[in-house]
Amino acid sequence: MESISRISTLLESARELTLDAASAARSSRTSSKPLDRVQVKKLLDSRNEREVLDGLRRVTSMMYRSQKTLPYFSSVVKNVASPSLEIKKLVYIYLIHHAEQEPDLALLSINTIQKSLSDTNPQVRALALRTMSGIRVPVISQIVSLAIKKGVGDMSSYVRRAAALAIPKCYRLDPSQLPQLLEYMTTLLGDKQYYVAGAAVTAFMEVCPERIDMIHKHYRNIIRMVVDMDEWSQLSALRMMTIYARKCFPRRTRIVQSKEKSVNLQDFYGERTEASSEGEKVLDVDPDLELLLTSIKPLLQSRNSGVVVAVARCYSAVGTPAYVRTAIGPLVALLRGGQDIQQIALFNIVTICLSYPADFVKYASHFLVRATDTEPVWELKLELLTLIFPHAPTHIKSLILNELEHFSRGSNKALIREAVRAIGRCAQTDQTTAPRCLRLLLGQITSLEGTLAAESLTVIRHLIQQDPTAHVPTVVRLAKNLDSATDPQARATIIWLVGEFSGLSGEDNIAADVLRILLKDFASESEIAKRQIILLAAKVYLHHVNRQIEEAQKAGEDAAAIPPPKLAEEDDHPIAKLWSYALLLARYDTSYDLRDRTRLYKALLGVPQLATLMLLAPKPAPQAPSPSETRKGYMLGSSALVLAGGGGIHGLKGYEDLPDWVEEGREPDPRLREIDPGNAPYREKRAVPAAETLDALAGSVPTRQSNGLKEGVGAKTLDDWLAEDDGGDEEDESEEDEEEESEEEEEDDDEEEEDESDAEESDADDHAENSRLMQQPL
């Protein structure tokens, strides 16, 4: 009979497999032919589960192709009571998608879904709970809350996780349910399963991230479980712990004496100076904060780039510089990923590099631009090279400059522009390389065109302004390039530089001659160049007037008797004639802005002292900060960090900065974070080494007399040590182990008596040997 039943079972399973294969083949042949509404509805109303499943698959496919599937609502929902798990899943998906459009019909299926909460299959219970919380109908908010309460007490951790993820949905559905939801969340945060606690942390960050009082007693358990959580829960837990650390651990510092100062020969004579009493200030990290920083360190090896960035954010926000340095290597390793991951990783790397540039020098080869890099990627890489440039050794600096020089001679105009700017920033941050950078830029002027020439000249102008007197030949060389420079911005930059140096070398300066050449073709110049020509003419004439005043003062005339300077029309000097000619040209120009500027300069030159203060005042050397300076201050891993440079931060909503550090004395009591050891999900059992145990016991033994061989008289034997060790271990064992040992003692009585007799004989032999040694003469 048993063989017959086995054969019938095999035949039934073979029949099922045959039907499945036929159904799959039929669906593969007919999937390309869509059915009309009547045929699909006929499949949904069928009593055959296979046909119903086929109909649901078609409806789901139509739903995700944005086709109208609402007319099938009644036919689909009536299958919610089907015993098939696959049919339930598809019905629940359809129900969640269309419940808001047909709330009345959706409420008819709530009773059936509630019955599924008591199903024997935990997957069915979790699916029902997820569906109830996903039906966005406010009327059922209390029912959903009761379902969450039932899921919180479920024996299956899979269902408890579903209950944790349903809490934010219920809160968005009805915020008045918050008190009950907080009770459920408190229970779930203390769950011993890491995936349940991780889901509870995610719900906590969505519902009530400001309620840190709920985290105190679960703080250490969550930290120990964070390495086992899924990646999304790890992101929520790291953000929550960063906020918690800011609000609960004050920022303390302490002074540590360095080794060089502690070993001071002058201290031997009592001549300690005040400087030697000073030490280095270091951060005093709270033990619980140290537990957090140490526990999340393995997450730097995560395969998820978001988790690595989140750990780096936690270290930079609440950690010490030593922990931040440990996150630099994993962040740089993210550059091996795709272009999108590289770009986001580079934004975070640049932000950390602004504070710790020296630690990125050894990774300089990772920041070299590749041919496949997109524009945002190579822009950030060039910025990183300029940030680490002043901290790099000589060979790294040479490598960086060679790379920038190579890109400045390329064909990509955007890359050339950024390379030229990068050379200028390198020269500003390291004065020793400024001459080489200037030679590179001067060599590119004749080959560049348009805006690229203007950009190069702008960088040269910044370098010249750092030390004007040392760059007079450079200005002369630039003035000679006015004939070949065609870009208006480039010509305007050169003319401005000539005007700034118009006061050097007195009348031997080239400024007046350059002005004479420029005025010949004034009408064909661009408006921006015309402005600089008029300004150059005003500066040249002002220097001429000041020289006349100085000559009169040197002649010994009284300051009150010095005649006012001659008008330009009455002065026969060539410079005065140039100024008059420039005024005449600007007077008939079509630009009203140029005419207004010219009248302003003419009126200003009527008072030479005032004109000197306004036109000839020394200009500070401009600084070219790193482009990412505008992003400094935003959290790592945030969207605002990426969008801040593009000007979109003003329209971006939802950014929340980290809270300030709690003031010392106002932090919560550390005893709130103490937990019952019996309830800890992961109790750490440390194996004590034998040497440490022997040393501890040796320190507790009183000192005894020694014999001539410096051996303790009456010292304990190894059996005594082991006996004490075994006794100590027996005290630490649980009550269940003691009951088992009591049962085993009856069986091992004979063996213990033999061991005790052997131990007594060995003790007697040791005592006799010790007495014999003491009697021997020394």
Side-chain angles (χ1 to χ4, degrees):
M1 293 298 293
E2 184 178 358
S3 59
I4 295 175
S5 63
R6 291 183 60 185
I7 292 174
S8 61
T9 304
L10 293 174
L11 290 175
E12 184 66 24
S13 61
R15 177 176 176 275
E16 293 291 336
L17 292 174
T18 305
L19 291 176
D20 290 340
S23 176
R26 183 172 61 254
S27 63
S28 63
R29 290 195 303 269
T30 60
S31 59
S32 59
K33 299 179 181 180
L35 302 179
D36 57 7
R37 182 179 300 178
V38 178
Q39 292 175 331
V40 173
K41 195 170 184 180
K42 184 178 179 180
L43 291 175
L44 295 174
D45 295 336
S46 175
R47 295 184 179 181
N48 189 350
E49 289 186 359
R50 298 181 184 279
E51 294 182 353
V52 173
L53 187 60
D54 185 22
L56 287 173
R57 287 172 178 169
R58 292 179 180 273
V59 171
T60 306
S61 177
M62 294 168 60
M63 182 175 64
Y64 285 107
R65 287 200 300 265
S66 300
Q67 298 179 5
K68 292 183 180 180
T69 56
L70 190 60
Y72 306 111
F73 193 90
S74 58
S75 300
V76 172
V77 171
K78 70 180 183 180
N79 292 307
V80 71
S82 175
S84 174
L85 182 60
E86 295 184 0
I87 293 178
K88 279 182 179 291
K89 290 180 180 180
L90 294 176
V91 172
Y92 287 162
I93 292 173
Y94 181 89
L95 188 62
I96 293 174
H97 191 77
H98 293 290
E100 288 186 87
Q101 300 175 1
E102 292 288 342
D104 296 334
L105 293 177
L107 293 176
L108 297 177
S109 61
I110 293 298
N111 292 332
T112 306
I113 299 176
Q114 278 186 298
K115 293 179 181 178
S116 299
L117 293 174
S118 303
D119 196 275
T120 56
N121 189 350
Q123 189 175 3
V124 175
R125 300 197 300 269
L127 187 62
L129 182 56
R130 190 180 299 115
T131 304
M132 286 189 65
S133 61
I135 298 177
R136 294 176 292 273
V137 180
V139 181
I140 63 171
S141 60
Q142 294 184 355
I143 300 177
V144 175
S145 178
L146 293 175
I148 294 175
K149 181 180 180 181
K150 187 174 182 180
V152 169
D154 198 283
M155 294 296 294
S156 174
S157 57
Y158 186 72
V159 180
R160 297 199 299 273
R161 175 181 171 82
L165 296 176
I167 290 177
K169 300 177 183 178
C170 183
Y171 175 72
R172 288 192 294 266
L173 194 64
D174 186 8
S176 63
Q177 301 289 333
L178 182 60
Q180 293 85 359
L181 297 178
L182 291 181
E183 295 179 4
Y184 309 152
M185 194 181 302
T186 304
T187 304
L188 293 172
L189 285 172
D191 200 281
K192 295 183 178 181
Q193 296 294 334
Y194 57 87
Y195 41 87
V196 179
V201 170
T202 304
F204 174 84
M205 293 302 297
E206 292 187 23
V207 175
C208 53
E210 71 283 351
R211 291 290 305 273
I212 61 170
D213 56 301
M214 299 172 57
I215 307 298
H216 292 316
K217 58 182 179 180
H218 309 298
Y219 172 79
R220 296 173 184 171
N221 288 340
I222 294 175
I223 287 178
R224 292 188 179 96
M225 291 188 290
V226 70
V227 294
D228 298 322
M229 295 179 182
D230 62 278
E231 295 164 348
W232 296 107
S233 300
Q234 287 173 351
L235 293 175
S236 300
L238 289 172
R239 180 172 175 80
M240 181 190 71
M241 290 305 171
T242 305
I243 297 174
Y244 182 89
R246 286 272 191 146
K247 291 185 177 181
C248 298
F249 304 120
R251 202 67 163 172
R252 299 187 182 96
T253 57
R254 55 188 175 90
I255 298 177
V256 178
Q257 296 289 342
S258 61
K259 295 182 178 180
E260 296 180 358
K261 293 181 180 180
S262 61
V263 182
N264 191 352
L265 296 178
Q266 294 181 356
D267 297 343
F268 180 77
Y269 301 101
E271 298 178 357
R272 179 187 294 270
T273 60
E274 295 181 359
S276 62
S277 61
E278 298 178 358
E280 181 183 0
K281 288 186 178 180
V282 296
L283 294 175
D284 189 9
V285 183
D286 189 274
D288 284 332
L289 179 58
E290 185 74 24
L291 176 63
L292 168 64
L293 299 176
T294 306
S295 299
I296 64 176
K297 196 172 182 179
L299 296 180
L300 291 173
Q301 310 301 325
S302 176
R303 61 183 179 181
N304 191 317
S305 57
V307 176
V308 177
V309 174
V311 176
R313 176 184 61 205
C314 185
Y315 281 163
S316 62
V318 301
T320 60
Y323 283 103
V324 177
R325 293 186 182 97
T326 60
I328 291 176
L331 279 176
V332 175
L334 297 180
L335 300 180
R336 302 171 184 171
Q339 293 288 347
D340 51 347
I341 296 178
Q342 285 186 36
Q343 183 177 351
I344 302 301
L346 282 171
F347 277 112
N348 296 276
I349 291 173
V350 170
T351 304
I352 297 180
C353 189
L354 290 172
S355 302
Y356 305 93
D359 297 317
F360 286 86
V361 173
K362 58 183 178 180
Y363 302 106
S365 60
H366 294 77
F367 307 138
L368 298 179
V369 180
R370 300 180 180 178
T372 57
D373 289 339
T374 59
E375 183 173 349
V377 171
W378 56 250
E379 282 181 355
L380 294 169
K381 284 187 175 181
L382 291 180
E383 184 178 357
L384 281 169
L385 292 176
T386 57
L387 287 174
I388 67 176
F389 182 80
H391 306 278
T394 306
H395 67 282
I396 298 294
K397 290 181 180 179
S398 179
L399 173 64
I400 294 174
L401 289 179
N402 289 336
E403 287 289 317
L404 297 178
E405 181 183 5
H406 170 73
F407 293 124
S408 65
R409 296 176 179 176
S411 58
N412 188 346
K413 292 185 177 181
L415 182 56
I416 294 174
R417 184 185 301 111
E418 292 299 326
V420 169
R421 292 177 181 175
I423 292 174
R425 290 198 297 270
C426 291
Q428 287 185 355
T429 54
D430 189 0
Q431 298 296 331
T432 59
T433 58
R436 180 181 177 183
C437 296
L438 190 59
R439 288 194 301 270
L440 292 177
L441 295 173
L442 290 174
Q444 302 298 321
I445 293 176
T446 56
S447 61
L448 297 179
E449 294 181 0
T451 57
L452 304 180
E455 190 65 40
S456 180
L457 285 170
T458 302
V459 176
I460 292 174
R461 176 171 62 86
H462 293 175
L463 298 179
I464 291 176
Q465 284 185 258
Q466 293 181 356
D467 189 7
T469 57
H471 292 90
V472 175
T474 305
V475 178
V476 176
R477 180 177 176 181
L478 291 175
K480 292 179 180 180
N481 290 326
L482 277 173
D483 296 335
S484 60
T486 58
D487 183 70
Q489 185 66 38
R491 293 181 64 84
T493 301
I494 296 176
I495 296 170
W496 185 88
L497 281 173
V498 173
E500 283 296 303
F501 286 84
S502 59
L504 298 178
S505 304
E507 295 183 355
D508 297 333
N509 196 279
I510 64 169
D513 196 32
V514 172
L515 176 62
R516 177 184 61 83
I517 297 172
L518 291 172
L519 289 177
K520 290 181 180 181
D521 200 15
F522 182 82
S524 61
E525 294 282 355
S526 62
E527 184 177 351
I528 187 174
K530 288 180 181 179
R531 296 174 188 172
Q532 297 301 327
I533 292 174
I534 296 299
L535 179 60
L536 173 62
K539 290 180 178 179
V540 170
Y541 181 68
L542 180 58
H543 283 297
H544 170 66
V545 173
N546 289 337
R547 282 195 295 268
Q548 288 181 346
I549 296 176
E550 291 178 0
E551 290 175 359
Q553 290 178 350
K554 289 180 180 179
E557 299 179 3
D558 188 6
I562 296 177
K566 297 179 181 180
L567 297 176
E569 295 81 0
E570 301 175 357
D571 196 350
D572 294 334
H573 196 279
I575 293 179
K577 292 181 179 180
L578 286 174
W579 171 243
S580 300
Y581 184 53
L583 293 177
L584 185 63
L585 291 173
R587 180 179 181 181
Y588 297 101
D589 196 85
T590 57
S591 174
Y592 67 88
D593 185 25
L594 184 63
R595 297 195 301 269
D596 291 344
R597 286 172 181 266
T598 305
R599 284 193 291 268
L600 173 64
Y601 294 151
K602 182 179 179 181
L604 193 61
L605 288 172
V607 185
Q609 293 80 5
L610 181 60
T612 303
L613 291 176
M614 297 190 66
L615 297 181
L616 302 182
K619 280 76 173 177
Q623 299 294 327
S626 182
S628 294
E629 288 287 345
T630 57
R631 302 186 183 94
K632 202 170 184 179
Y634 293 105
M635 282 194 306
L636 296 179
S638 62
S639 300
L641 180 66
V642 179
L643 300 177
I649 185 62
H650 302 290
L652 187 66
K653 297 181 180 180
Y655 175 76
E656 296 181 1
D657 200 1
L658 290 174
D660 296 332
W661 288 95
V662 63
E663 297 181 4
E664 190 170 358
R666 295 188 176 183
E667 70 274 12
D669 191 351
R671 290 176 294 181
L672 294 174
R673 292 186 288 272
E674 295 180 358
I675 58 176
D676 185 8
N679 296 330
Y682 297 103
R683 284 182 289 177
E684 297 182 358
K685 296 183 178 180
R686 176 175 175 267
V688 181
E692 184 176 342
T693 305
L694 292 174
D695 293 340
L697 293 174
S700 61
V701 176
T703 305
R704 300 191 178 186
Q705 297 179 356
S706 59
N707 55 14
L709 298 178
K710 298 184 179 180
E711 295 181 353
V713 180
K716 294 184 178 180
T717 61
L718 182 59
D719 294 333
D720 296 332
W721 291 112
L722 295 176
E724 290 185 2
D725 193 9
D726 294 338
D729 292 338
E730 291 174 0
E731 294 177 357
D732 296 336
E733 291 177 353
S734 60
E735 296 178 1
E736 297 178 0
D737 295 335
E738 291 177 359
E739 293 178 359
E740 295 176 1
E741 289 177 1
S742 61
E743 295 175 0
E744 295 176 356
E745 284 177 358
E746 297 177 359
E747 299 175 0
D748 299 333
D749 286 339
D750 298 337
E751 296 179 1
E752 290 179 359
E753 290 177 1
E754 294 177 1
D755 294 337
E756 290 178 358
S757 61
D758 294 339
E760 290 176 359
E761 293 176 2
S762 62
D763 289 341
D765 295 340
D766 292 341
H767 182 71
E769 181 67 16
N770 290 335
S771 60
R772 185 181 62 81
L773 291 173
M774 293 179 64
Q775 293 176 0
Q776 291 181 357
L778 296 176

